[in-house]
Amino acid sequence: MTRLRVPSTSLYKPPIADRHVGVSKSFTDPCPDRGLAVIQTVVLAVSTTNLCLYVPMFAFAGNAPLVIAHGGFSGLFPDSSEFAYRFAGQVSLANVIFWCDVQLTKDAAGVCAPNLNLANNTDISRIFPNQSKTYSVNGVSIQGWFSVDFTLKELTSVNLIQGVFSRPDKFDGIFPVVTVNLIPQFSPPGLWLNVEHDVFFTQRNLSMRSFVLSVFKRTIVDYVSSPEVNFLKGLMARLPTGTKLIYRVLGQTDVDPSINQTYGSLLSNLTFIKTFASGILVPKSYIWPVDASLYLLPHTTLVSDAHKAGLEVFASDFANDAPFAYDFSFDPVAESLSYIDNGNFTVDGMLSDFPITQSEAIACFAHIGKNVSGQESPLVISSKGASGDFPGCTDLAYQGAISDGVDILDCPVQMTKDGIAICLSSINLLDSTLVAQSSFGNLTTTISELGISNGIFTFSLTWSQIQTLTRQCACYHPWRHGWTHSDGRNSRGVKCEWVSAHGTTHRDMVGHKMMAGIVGLELAAISNPYANYGLTRDPIKKNAGKFMTLSEFLVLAKNASSVSGVLISIEDAAYLAEYQGLDVTDVVLGTLRNASFSTQKVMIQSTNSSVLTKFKKESNYELIYVVDENIRGADNSSITEIKTFASAVVVSKSSVLTDNAQYLTAMTNVVQMLQAFQLQVFVQIFRNEFVSQAWDFFSDATVEINSFVMGAGIDGVVTEFPGTAVRYKKNRCLGLDSKTPNYMSPVQPGGLYQLITPSALPPAEAPYPLLTESEVVEAPLPPVAILAPPPGNGSNQATAPTNSNAQLEVVSSVIPSFLAFLIATLALF
């Protein structure tokens, strides 16, 4: 199976103001002859005094929920490895609980391993290639390498590997198997032993009960869980004070082998569970069910019912790199908050492969309140609106960004054939629309000046033609009934009526009011930048919303009191003027003057200094220069030149934090250099999908944003998911200076990279170039060409662009509709 790229974090550094502070902590390798020397000394650039439990008393009425680290930090390091445990202790709440899945060896020693079959997370099949066996486990035949067939001494030659293919494999073969008796040496704040298969071990004359009782004599154990009733009952008589028994619930139709009853039936009798357990551990879907299409269903009453019965409730299966409901916009912090801050119930703990995320949710974000304004920095700038949740540049995307609390609402301006400025992410309609499926699908053209092959361009159609493209029935209900298919029924069978092209309010067959202004053309298409990884954005909204003119966009932004400004992005101005006779800069200037912005700022953005120079001469708007390549720095002359026409610069994430094979390697001085010239620095583009982030960020968009803001000191984030960035600004763990907890401290670039053994390091990459003055300076914009009217009878029929200048090198071709459709489909998905 191909391994997908997944982020995770290694080491932390203090916020930028305290970057000089650092504490070195050494970890001793218990097996120096087995390759652990690579991690003998790890520099943690945060003080260990920051490991305090930072949960304000007002956040929770009772005790704050617990964070249980599943096999340590198993989202990064091999499950149940020493470093996974130690790292979980460093970056989680101070009272984090270490989870150990207990397996017994042939000689009755206890080891921590997530599965009975050790082949799932060790290299045992390589060490003992001919010793696999087949056993019946709860009625299921399983072939593999089992702990019961090997002595503890034999297992000392076995190393741990990452058992999840979507996680880093660079740490495979480094860490030894950990015994239960070794965990106290890792200084666990709390210990949770999970015994999954007592019946299996009993059948092989191994007593899990005797082993756990022996552990009680040597170690403080906070929790013992099992999905077998009789095992828990067998511990009750000799249970130490302070140790709690937790009944682990598996699938609804799975059977507890110790009493031969399904877990679904047992959950209906919580008073019975209370007779032998203090709480229950259930999959998170028992609390917030998810339908087959990955949408949340109404929460169950399990938490409330269990609490009434006197049982604690712990939720399992939290993993930032696993699919979860579309409702959370790929944001694992948002998912965690739904279990602890929903106005109805709070679980007592969460079992996670990425315990930093639940630590953030509990300590920094829970119960903040909707009216908290948050800190001013960073500026949150939308990228095509909330384009991670809706098709970019549609009314829905902009309304979503406003609802999220975005600071700056953006509009990438494109020009139509009749000279109307519209908001659209690309000059090529194939990039973000379904135009290839329309009657204009034969207008594909190659334009070398734009570097685009087989495009259908905005300037090839009038605005009215774009508005009248073929559409389908599209109704939307606030409670997510969904968008309709072409047969007039939505994804859940609700009958809908046709809607107007301008989003007029209609009603469905049962009279429910549909949301005005957000329905209309199915021309738009949501972007799916990571479809190759199996990560697609909300399919219900994939063609939702309608595009807007710049004038309509400005009206929307002006009426949104929470929006502090707008950002107008202008590209391809020289080409439009010289070859299409369209003056995009004058159109934007005129539209902005007519909009009469007074209290909100206006920002003009471009990769072309010639555009910004013209705006500087003709307006007082804030001007932003976009560096359209990855850079490692800039010479002083280039920055001096930028300063003559701009007050801010947009750079890529890789220009600030460099990486190799998605492992962070260093921080450049790009931000500091630009800020030294009094230029603000905005960074793009932030996305929530975990594959968009370096491994060092734990598959957590909040960790990534925090590292750029607190570590690199950037002034603004350009994001397709503004809700995540806006929430970040409100978190109560900011502004604590030296008291900032580790789970809200920026990562240390290169910290994770240095742990990779030399033989496993990815090939070195060439450094990015320096930005030079010659790349910034441009000739003035050319005059607007006066084009001859197209031949014909004066009708408004669109045609493919024709050569309007002898220097124009345009290859026009009519492509069959099917091929055009194929090209559009590949581009979008």
Side-chain angles (χ1 to χ4, degrees), residues 356-374:
I356 189 173
T357 296
Q358 286 67 42
S359 298
E360 296 166 346
I362 292 168
C364 306
F365 295 106
H367 303 288
I368 286 178
K370 295 181 179 180
N371 296 324
V372 174
S373 59

Side-chain angles (χ1 to χ4, degrees), residues 584-644:
V584 61
T585 55
D586 277 0
V587 170
V588 169
L589 282 166
T591 306
L592 284 168
R593 288 168 183 147
N594 292 336
S596 301
F597 270 69
S598 57
T599 59
Q600 296 164 306
K601 69 174 68 175
V602 174
M603 308 169 89
I604 305 297
Q605 172 180 288
S606 183
T607 61
N608 300 119
S609 60
S610 56
V611 170
L612 300 179
T613 299
K614 178 175 181 179
F615 271 88
K616 186 172 182 65
K617 293 178 180 178
E618 300 186 25
S619 72
N620 293 318
Y621 303 138
E622 296 185 27
L623 305 178
I624 305 172
Y625 181 65
V626 180
V627 180
D628 58 358
E629 63 176 340
N630 293 330
I631 59 173
R632 73 177 189 273
D635 57 37
N636 285 347
S637 60
S638 66
I639 303 177
T640 301
E641 177 63 24
I642 293 172
K643 184 66 177 175
T644 64

Side-chain angles (χ1 to χ4, degrees), residues 228-277:
E228 299 178 8
V229 169
N230 286 345
F231 174 73
L232 295 178
K233 285 185 174 182
L235 295 177
M236 292 178 67
R238 300 179 62 181
L239 194 68
T241 302
T243 300
K244 295 181 179 182
L245 300 180
I246 306 297
Y247 186 52
R248 185 173 194 183
V249 177
L250 303 181
Q252 291 271 4
T253 59
D254 292 337
V255 175
D256 180 334
S258 69
I259 60 173
N260 203 32
Q261 291 187 43
T262 65
Y263 294 104
S265 64
L266 286 167
L267 267 189
S268 65
N269 191 356
L270 294 172
T271 55
F272 168 67
I273 296 177
K274 178 61 178 174
T275 63
F276 61 86

Side-chain angles (χ1 to χ4, degrees), residues 491-508:
S491 58
R492 304 207 180 191
V494 177
K495 184 73 174 180
C496 300
E497 298 190 20
W498 285 92
V499 297
S500 74
H502 301 286
T504 307
T505 302
H506 293 274
R507 295 178 182 272
D508 66 12

Side-chain angles (χ1 to χ4, degrees), residues 382-385 392-394 398 409-415 421-427 458 548 550 553 567-571 584 588 605:
S382 69
S383 175
K384 307 175 290 292
C393 298
T394 61
Y398 289 130
L409 200 63
D410 77 302
C411 168
V413 168
Q414 311 299 339
M415 295 297 292
I422 64 173
C423 298
L424 199 63
S425 60
S426 171
I427 198 170
T458 58
M548 309 178 75
L550 175 59
F553 165 83
L567 184 150
I568 311 301
S569 181
I570 300 175
E571 301 297 338
V584 61
V588 169
Q605 172 180 288

